[in-house]
Amino acid sequence: VPDPSTPTNKAPLRAGWASEIRSRLASVRLAPAREAEIVEELSQHLEDRWRELVAGGADPDVARQSALAEFRGPDVLARYLAPLRQAHWADPARPVGRGFVLGGVMTDLRNAVRALRAMPGFTIVALVVLTLGIGATTAIFSVVDAVVLRGLPFDEHNRLVAVGERGSPGGGKKRPAGPGPAPDPQAIGVVQPQNYLDWIAQQQVFASIAAVWDDTPTHRLPGAEPEELVAQRVTASFFDVLRIRPTIGRPLRPTTKSTDAIGWRC
Amino acid sequence: MTDIDVRALDRELKRGSAELLILSLLDARPRHGYELSKLIHTRSGGQLSFHIDSLYPLLYRLEERAWIQGTWVEKPGARRRRFYRVTAEGRRVLARQRKTWDAFVEAVRRVTGGERA
């Protein structure tokens, strides 16, 4: 049998087999090392067939064509290889593009779902912890946002100041009897009306001052049940200090009757 | 049975019988792809033959299923060859397939032989 690697006997070179096989593997995504193995293995097969035909008296060129006729078509090998796992090799050195990144994300998601399904106990505990954590964080942030991050809903709210009287240490009002927390010694207390009037007359710091007094009057319409209201008694300058207008009625003036302005809601 | 069913059965028979042929030949001893091809052709009296573009994908599929294992074997003065041998899992599959095939052949023989009896 002539040596196919010897060019003098018209035998096909091994490189010839390899190129024929590689052209049929072009559309298959094989790892380079795996492709080299397949090319080597199939080259040997074709060479064995060629040797057998030549040993049987066939012309080397005819034998070459007969050996290659073992391939039924240019794409049959690729079609038969396509369902195999090894035919879907992902090149780690491939440039990262958008589709490639999303493909990786989808693969990670699928793997994560499989892993979570395999451990239902862990999954349930993790979901409960996550739910409680997110809920607690949301609640705390809502309070911080309302109290710290957002300002009061008034014009130039950062210029609003609460002013009051603070009793001297040990000399203030006695704590009322009964249960409940002790009053905060640093909290500002009630201002006596005369002091408030003196502040208005003598202060040179504020643009305007208003006094506020929490009240809970009881309201009762004829024939209806009495209803307790959440209200505040304010001085006439209240709306000017906050730069707001009442929802119903007119802003208070020093001469306004107490019922002319009946409400404002934040 | 519809035409589609016949085609599906034919495909499954071919696929199943091809796996059975390969596993049976490798059950005796490790062989390389060309030897498998020759044996199937000669032992079947030329009735059965594998093309190169279906034989090797079949071997690789069986290898991915871990029914057979391919190993490169190097001998002095010769090019290395890839030999395949049956794994333990492959032998279990082969036993099942032989049983199924025998039952199928027996069933067909009963049906087709009944008219002649």
Side-chain angles (χ1 to χ4, degrees):
Chain A
V1 179
D3 184 355
S5 64
T6 306
T8 56
N9 58 12
K10 290 188 176 182
L13 296 173
R14 283 172 185 165
W17 300 126
S19 64
E20 288 284 350
I21 297 162
R22 283 188 194 282
S23 70
R24 287 167 167 80
L25 295 174
S27 62
V28 186
R29 281 168 52 189
L30 293 161
R34 181 61 185 138
E35 181 177 313
E37 281 189 332
I38 292 175
V39 168
E40 182 178 352
E41 190 172 19
L42 270 61
S43 293
Q44 286 182 354
H45 183 107
L46 292 174
E47 193 172 307
D48 285 344
R49 179 67 179 145
W50 179 85
R51 283 174 177 273
E52 190 180 81
L53 291 169
V54 171
D59 177 79
D61 285 339
V62 175
R64 181 177 187 279
Q65 293 304 318
S66 297
L68 286 175
E70 288 233 356
F71 288 110
R72 282 169 291 176
D75 63 335
V76 177
L77 180 62
R79 277 197 286 119
Y80 275 76
L81 286 173
L84 303 181
R85 286 196 302 273
Q86 59 195 275
H88 300 278
W89 178 71
D91 185 357
R94 188 175 161 192
V96 177
R98 189 179 172 206
F100 187 75
V101 170
L102 287 177
V105 170
M106 292 308 294
T107 303
D108 290 345
L109 283 174
R110 277 195 295 272
N111 291 337
V113 170
R114 281 197 204 106
L116 291 174
R117 275 184 180 171
M119 298 180 290
F122 170 80
T123 304
I124 291 171
V125 171
L127 282 176
V128 169
V129 170
L130 274 174
T131 304
L132 292 175
I134 292 171
T137 305
T138 304
I140 292 171
F141 178 78
S142 300
V143 172
V144 171
D145 181 54
V147 174
V148 179
L149 300 180
R150 283 193 205 169
L152 295 170
F154 303 116
D155 183 34
E156 293 187 287
H157 59 84
N158 55 335
R159 296 181 63 197
L160 289 173
V161 176
V163 180
E165 291 182 343
R166 184 176 295 151
S168 58
K173 294 179 181 176
K174 289 184 179 177
R175 178 188 173 186
D184 181 4
Q186 297 298 315
I188 56 175
V190 175
V191 178
Q192 296 303 317
Q194 190 56 52
N195 289 345
Y196 168 71
L197 293 174
D198 288 345
W199 289 354
I200 290 178
Q202 299 174 24
Q203 69 88 20
Q204 297 177 339
V205 178
F206 301 109
S208 57
I209 296 179
V212 178
W213 176 266
D214 292 336
D215 200 0
T216 52
T218 301
H219 176 72
R220 180 174 184 178
L221 290 172
E225 291 294 320
E227 183 181 3
E228 188 175 82
L229 303 178
V230 177
Q232 284 189 326
R233 296 182 183 182
V234 298
T235 56
S237 57
F238 176 78
F239 292 96
D240 292 335
V241 170
L242 298 182
R243 297 179 184 169
I244 57 175
R245 295 184 63 79
T247 306
I248 300 173
R250 295 171 299 179
L252 297 173
R253 294 285 178 263
T255 57
T256 303
K257 295 178 182 177
S258 61
T259 55
D260 278 0
I262 56 174
W264 180 86
R265 176 180 286 177
C266 290
Chain B
M1 189 179 287
T2 66
D3 187 44
I4 294 175
D5 290 335
V6 170
R7 283 206 301 269
L9 176 62
D10 186 47
R11 190 170 59 245
E12 289 305 313
L13 281 174
K14 281 181 178 174
R15 179 182 294 176
S17 59
E19 292 173 356
L20 179 61
L21 290 173
I22 298 292
L23 291 173
S24 297
L25 290 174
L26 295 180
D27 191 35
R29 65 177 176 84
R31 303 178 195 272
H32 55 73
Y34 188 71
E35 186 183 1
L36 287 169
S37 170
K38 290 286 295 177
L39 276 174
I40 290 170
H41 187 76
T42 54
R43 287 190 184 181
S44 68
Q47 295 295 308
L48 301 174
S49 60
F50 276 96
H51 287 271
I52 188 173
D53 44 22
S54 57
L55 171 63
Y56 288 91
L58 172 59
L59 290 173
Y60 302 154
R61 187 170 78 224
L62 299 182
E63 202 174 14
E64 284 193 351
R65 291 178 183 169
W67 293 357
I68 65 174
Q69 185 179 23
T71 311
W72 289 101
V73 176
E74 297 189 37
K75 291 180 180 175
R79 294 172 68 182
R80 65 173 188 163
R81 279 190 174 279
R82 191 165 177 82
F83 280 79
Y84 295 91
R85 65 173 182 80
V86 186
T87 63
E89 175 63 18
R91 286 206 166 81
R92 281 192 286 272
V93 172
L94 174 61
R96 281 201 303 271
Q97 288 196 354
R98 274 179 172 151
K99 204 171 176 180
T100 304
W101 186 259
D102 289 344
F104 176 75
V105 170
E106 176 61 18
V108 171
R109 191 194 63 76
R110 283 179 190 167
V111 172
T112 57
E115 296 294 324
R116 294 178 188 168

